[in-house]
Amino acid sequence: MAIEVCVKAAVGAPDILGDWKVPVIKLDDKWVSDSDVIVGLLEEKYPDPPLASNPEFSSVGSKIFSTFVTFLKSKDANDGSEQALIVELKALDDHLKSHGPYVCGQKVTAVDLSLAPKLYHLEVALGHFKKWSVPENLSCVREYMKLLFARESFEKTKAAKEHVIAGWAPKVNA
């Protein structure tokens, strides 16, 4: 069975992977764009290795991306957006201390694969636009990011840093 995958092209470079990969795949002649539905369909067709996350942990880290975007776009250093992001990252750090190295334990699951590009964008965009990085005291998050970013599948599919920066620039400078 063939699977077609569509991704966003880089700004100004239509033949290069873009700054963000919206999951859209074609399975059995039907295009699917919902991440959870995609994982479910892939689990049915390809059960090994399993990617399904423990339902108890499926929402771990779910607020990180929105708080990252708010902080990235913020022009007011006192609006609490940085602290809100740190609170979300601290919650992930605490979870990883108890359950890690991945969200559901020893094996990577869909929730980790969903968080990986979000954390990568956080690292690249905040590093570039705000000279900010994940605080040293959040050591489990920092190690988790290293584990995710070192995965062969991530290395082969991540957007180049310059494309991440170009993708966020209009939003930051708006």
Side-chain angles (χ1 to χ4, degrees):
M1 176 184 77
I3 296 175
E4 290 181 59
V5 179
C6 293
V7 296
K8 179 182 173 188
V11 175
D15 296 328
I16 296 176
L17 284 176
D19 64 305
W20 195 254
K21 290 166 218 44
V22 176
V24 180
I25 67 170
K26 187 176 185 181
L27 285 168
D28 300 328
D29 294 323
K30 182 180 175 191
W31 286 102
V32 182
S33 62
D34 182 283
S35 299
D36 294 332
V37 173
I38 290 170
V39 169
L41 291 170
L42 290 175
E43 283 288 306
E44 277 180 28
K45 299 255 183 214
Y46 307 100
D48 193 41
L51 292 177
S53 302
N54 178 337
E56 178 184 354
F57 299 147
S58 63
S59 66
V60 170
S62 63
K63 295 180 183 174
I64 289 173
F65 189 72
S66 62
T67 56
F68 146 64
V69 173
T70 300
F71 176 45
L72 180 65
K73 291 178 166 184
S74 173
K75 309 267 190 258
D76 178 359
N78 298 313
D79 67 0
S81 60
E82 178 181 11
Q83 188 55 37
L85 176 58
I86 290 171
V87 165
E88 294 304 323
L89 290 170
K90 175 80 168 89
L92 176 59
D93 196 76
D94 291 345
H95 178 87
L96 293 169
K97 278 180 190 156
S98 300
H99 304 284
Y102 296 105
V103 169
C104 293
Q106 295 299 314
K107 293 185 180 179
V108 71
T109 64
V111 71
D112 302 298
L113 300 177
S114 174
L115 280 171
K118 296 169 185 170
L119 292 168
Y120 178 68
H121 278 246
L122 179 152
E123 178 180 79
V124 172
L126 290 177
H128 178 80
F129 293 107
K130 297 220 181 231
K131 309 300 182 230
W132 190 92
S133 62
V134 173
E136 294 287 332
N137 66 320
L138 299 179
S139 59
C140 291
V141 170
R142 293 172 70 88
E143 185 58 32
Y144 177 64
M145 291 168 68
K146 285 180 191 173
L147 281 172
L148 293 174
F149 300 168
R151 294 182 61 80
E152 181 183 4
S153 58
F154 188 82
E155 278 292 321
K156 287 183 174 181
T157 60
K158 72 178 181 185
K161 289 181 180 182
E162 61 268 21
H163 296 304
V164 172
I165 292 164
W168 284 107
K171 296 163 188 80
V172 172
N173 298 322

